[in-house]
Amino acid sequence: MRLTTKLSAFITFLSILAMLLMLVGCAFSVFRFSQQRGEQRAQVLATEVDQALLVQSPDQLHGWITRLMPIINAEQIQLYSGDHIFFSLSRHENLMLDHQPNRFIQFDVPLIHQPGVNVRVVTLDPARTWLRSIIGTYAMGTVSTVVLVMSLLLFILHRWLRRQWRGMEHLEICAEAIIDGERGVVPKRNLDEWPPRASRALDVLLTDLKEAGEQRLRTDTLIRTFAAQDGRTGLNNRLFFDSQLATLLEDQEDAGRGSVRRRTLLENTLSRGGPRLSQKPAVNIEGKVQHRVMLTRIFGGDKEVLAAEYMPLVQQLGMADSWDRQLVTRIAALSELWPEETLVIPVTIDSLLHRSFVLWLQNILLQCPKGLKKAIFI
């Protein structure tokens, strides 16, 4: 039994147990309260009789005790000393006192001022009488019906929870099978699996894995088929395939070594002060130099590498911001030594999209002399 099933069964059991405990507690409270109320009434009557016997004889008690008996719901009152009963008064001739004694409750209270004398009060037990009455039977039937209905509702709720969690349990079984590597024996998807998106995602992945396995099997079968046509051709085909695969792997490994080497070259160039600067004059129709475009080059071993070749890698490696800051600072310092010329600074779009770089560039231009600002183009 899984955790969800255990949880639903446990909640159902606790609910039914709580209802039963509440019912038993209410019944016990009713019986106990009726017992205490009978004891209190018998004690009050004994006190009154004890006080009355100080000034009256037992026969004189008949009048007021008769009027008091309906109030305290007493069926019979007796005064006795040992085995001798010297006063007995019944509310009416009730033969049930002898035939059905279980319906009555008896209290014996000793008198304080009359040593050896006790008062016996016999009252109708309200709890047992109520249980045997029509109202009591109807009430107990109602309570029993409510308990049965609640039990039925809890059972229905338990069934509903099991149906809701059955899909989750099925999805968990599939996940365990996948983790254990048993993808080929994964049970068929249940429409009640929950959550549904995770279930569909697993189905898609399993389908892709299955198709990839089948494709791999077909490719391997095709290769083996062509390789098995004859001894010499098959060997050549196999060697050619192995050679191509090895070449592809080596190319990927060299590309990784080349990327690391170029990054190291760019970082070293930046730490040594930046790339080499050169300028290209832009001449108008009249043959006059209108402005000069600043060009950059770096040394890659025994040859120079143009900006068009290494700048894409600078942007790809996230070095454009620091690269452009250094370039602007160098060309701004150069324009102070060459104030009569208009210089064009190449700046990448990646740097201009960063607010921090734009604020820094604005601060640099504000620090330049007024005439020098007109000689710099970004």
Side-chain angles (χ1 to χ4, degrees), residues 7-282:
L7 180 61
S8 61
F10 182 69
I11 293 175
T12 304
F13 172 75
L14 287 182
S15 302
I16 296 177
L17 181 62
M19 288 193 301
L20 292 178
L21 290 177
M22 183 176 62
L23 182 61
V24 173
C26 292
F28 178 78
S29 299
V30 170
F31 281 100
R32 183 59 181 168
F33 178 73
S34 63
Q35 181 78 15
Q36 291 179 350
R37 186 173 61 176
E39 291 178 357
Q40 292 176 356
R41 289 177 177 179
Q43 188 66 41
V44 171
L45 178 62
T47 302
E48 296 294 332
V49 171
D50 191 20
Q51 295 292 332
L53 288 176
L54 294 176
V55 295
Q56 297 177 359
S57 63
D59 294 336
Q60 294 175 339
L61 301 177
H62 184 277
W64 66 272
I65 290 181
T66 302
R67 295 189 299 270
L68 184 63
M69 289 178 68
I71 299 176
I72 64 175
N73 199 24
E75 292 294 329
Q76 188 180 64
I77 297 176
Q78 295 177 344
L79 294 176
Y80 67 94
S81 178
D83 295 334
H84 175 63
I85 299 175
F86 58 89
F87 179 85
S88 179
L89 181 63
S90 297
R91 188 174 175 183
H92 40 68
E93 296 298 331
N94 195 341
L95 299 177
M96 295 177 62
L97 290 172
D98 298 327
H99 298 291
Q100 297 181 0
N102 292 332
R103 293 186 59 184
F104 298 89
I105 185 170
Q106 177 180 304
F107 302 98
D108 293 322
V109 183
L111 300 182
I112 298 177
H113 299 91
Q114 306 294 329
V117 179
N118 297 292
V119 175
R120 177 173 294 167
V121 180
V122 180
T123 63
L124 193 65
D125 191 347
R128 296 175 183 175
T129 305
W130 180 81
L131 289 176
R132 296 188 180 185
S133 63
I134 297 178
I135 298 177
T137 304
Y138 174 76
M140 290 300 298
T142 303
V143 172
S144 301
T145 303
V146 171
V147 172
L148 290 177
V149 171
M150 292 298 296
S151 301
L152 181 60
L153 290 178
L154 287 174
F155 177 74
I156 295 175
L157 177 62
H158 175 70
R159 293 285 301 274
W160 181 81
L161 289 176
R162 287 193 61 184
R163 286 197 302 269
Q164 294 298 318
W165 285 335
R166 189 181 305 162
M168 186 185 300
E169 294 176 357
H170 191 272
L171 185 63
E172 186 178 356
I173 294 174
C174 295
E176 290 178 356
I178 294 173
I179 293 175
D180 295 337
E182 301 175 355
R183 300 182 181 89
V185 295
V186 174
K188 187 178 180 181
R189 178 177 181 266
N190 194 342
L191 296 178
D192 296 333
E193 282 186 354
W194 189 88
R197 292 183 181 273
S199 177
R200 288 196 294 269
L202 284 178
D203 291 340
V204 171
L205 292 178
L206 290 176
T207 303
D208 292 344
L209 287 175
K210 184 178 179 181
E211 292 179 355
E214 294 176 353
Q215 182 67 26
R216 178 182 178 183
L217 181 62
R218 288 195 296 267
T219 303
D220 187 70
T221 303
L222 180 63
I223 294 174
R224 292 178 183 275
T225 301
F226 279 101
Q229 289 181 358
D230 56 71
R232 185 179 60 184
T233 307
L235 179 62
N236 292 335
N237 289 338
R238 174 61 68 179
L239 292 176
F240 174 75
F241 176 77
D242 293 340
S243 176
Q244 289 294 104
L245 180 60
T247 302
L248 178 60
L249 294 177
E250 290 178 358
D251 290 343
Q252 292 179 352
E253 184 180 359
D254 294 342
R257 287 197 305 264
S259 176
V260 174
R261 182 176 61 83
R262 288 193 292 269
R263 182 184 182 90
T264 303
L265 176 62
L266 293 175
E267 291 177 349
N268 292 335
T269 302
L270 194 64
S271 62
R272 289 195 298 263
R276 179 182 177 182
L277 295 178
S278 61
Q279 57 86 21
K280 179 181 179 181

